[in-house]
Amino acid sequence: MIKGKIFVIKRRLWKTEDLLGFKDGMILIVKNTTPDVTVIIDKVKAIVTEINSPLCHAAIIAREYNKPILMGVEEVTKQFNTGEEVAINLENETIIRC
């Protein structure tokens, strides 16, 4: 179980500037990652994506940087807002508000 505050990027295409305000230990929630995520990857506690593919950018980044990832959560960027506290259960692939 991973608990923490989330940082949500709702836009499909985003830039490094969209990561302003990301704080150490936050959970990143996005449709998919872009190369810009490497700017904050050391601060990321976990990644949650809407995309579900072992070859997507988020999966590769998570593997290379040893970050937990929950993929394939439908419309997760619409369900949550930055600053909310959540708990992520990787075993049963759920994310809930705390």
Side-chain angles (χ1 to χ4, degrees):
M1 187 76 72
I2 301 167
K3 294 182 179 180
K5 287 191 176 182
I6 57 174
F7 188 89
V8 183
I9 298 179
K10 297 182 181 282
R11 298 176 350 155
R12 187 169 168 276
L13 299 173
W14 46 282
K15 301 175 183 175
T16 305
E17 296 83 37
D18 294 322
L19 297 170
L20 295 173
F22 192 95
K23 299 198 179 357
D24 192 37
M26 292 182 94
I27 299 165
L28 180 64
I29 296 181
V30 292
K31 290 182 187 289
N32 194 11
T33 60
T34 67
D36 297 350
V37 77
T38 56
V39 172
I40 56 142
I41 198 66
D42 291 334
K43 297 178 179 183
V44 172
K45 190 173 193 176
I47 302 169
V48 179
T49 69
E50 293 180 1
I51 301 295
N52 189 16
S53 168
L55 298 176
C56 74
H57 187 265
I60 294 166
I61 288 293
R63 183 190 70 228
E64 293 301 316
Y65 288 92
N66 198 31
K67 300 293 179 177
I69 187 167
L70 177 58
M71 298 189 307
V73 182
E74 290 186 30
E75 298 191 356
V76 70
T77 58
K78 294 178 182 175
Q79 296 174 35
F80 297 96
N81 294 306
T82 296
E84 289 186 75
E85 291 269 345
V86 299
I88 300 171
N89 186 330
L90 297 174
E91 289 181 21
N92 66 10
E93 300 182 343
T94 57
I95 180 170
I96 58 169
R97 288 179 176 82
C98 293

